[in-house]
Amino acid sequence: MMFLFRRGPARVTPADAHQRTRDEGAVLLDVRERAEWTAGHAPGAVHAPLSALLAGADLPPAAKGRPLMVICRSGHRSRQAAKILTERGTGAVDVKGGMNAWAAAGLPVVDGHGSSGSTA
């Protein structure tokens, strides 16, 4: 029996994404909305809301020309954003499980002031 799979963007674990941002110069691109970002994001991540990307916005300067690890809260929006970016010719992969999985893996989360943040 033959199974057909929908081909989506490549995916990585939060631990792999964290390592690639440290060791390979990749950028963690957070596509959640402003309130979610302010509540808690990964240190060093770059913010580019999916709503802006859908409206055709350019990537922030810090994310241009670099491999992107795309993250959201749970993984749904980041898959959509990674697909859009890949179609635009940008190297982008989706971080499985989003910031929920990132935090569950014990990876750092900070708020808009650099203090300990939350992913709620």
Side-chain angles (χ1 to χ4, degrees), residues 1-79:
M1 178 175 228
M2 185 173 167
F3 293 93
L4 298 177
F5 294 96
R6 278 186 54 204
R7 182 90 175 105
R11 305 185 83 197
V12 295
T13 66
D16 288 340
H18 186 249
Q19 182 176 358
R20 289 176 72 176
T21 59
R22 283 195 337 244
D23 302 343
E24 299 175 19
V27 170
L28 189 69
L29 188 73
D30 193 320
V31 298
R32 297 174 300 153
E33 296 304 314
R34 168 80 41 208
E36 295 171 287
W37 164 264
T38 302
H41 56 271
V46 174
H47 187 226
L50 176 61
S51 57
L53 294 174
L54 287 170
D58 274 344
L59 284 170
K64 288 187 177 181
R66 295 174 64 189
L68 302 176
M69 309 286 112
V70 186
I71 198 164
C72 65
R73 181 177 47 85
S74 64
H76 178 75
R77 287 173 287 178
S78 58
R79 281 187 76 128

Side-chain angles (χ1 to χ4, degrees), residues 53-119:
L53 294 174
L54 287 170
D58 274 344
L59 284 170
K64 288 187 177 181
R66 295 174 64 189
L68 302 176
M69 309 286 112
V70 186
I71 198 164
C72 65
R73 181 177 47 85
S74 64
H76 178 75
R77 287 173 287 178
S78 58
R79 281 187 76 128
Q80 189 177 358
K83 183 176 187 294
I84 291 166
L85 293 166
T86 300
E87 288 170 354
R88 289 185 188 176
T90 301
V93 298
D94 171 45
V95 180
K96 290 188 272 191
M99 285 300 297
N100 290 339
W102 179 276
L107 296 168
V109 177
V110 295
D111 68 12
H113 306 289
S115 303
S116 185
S118 71
T119 58

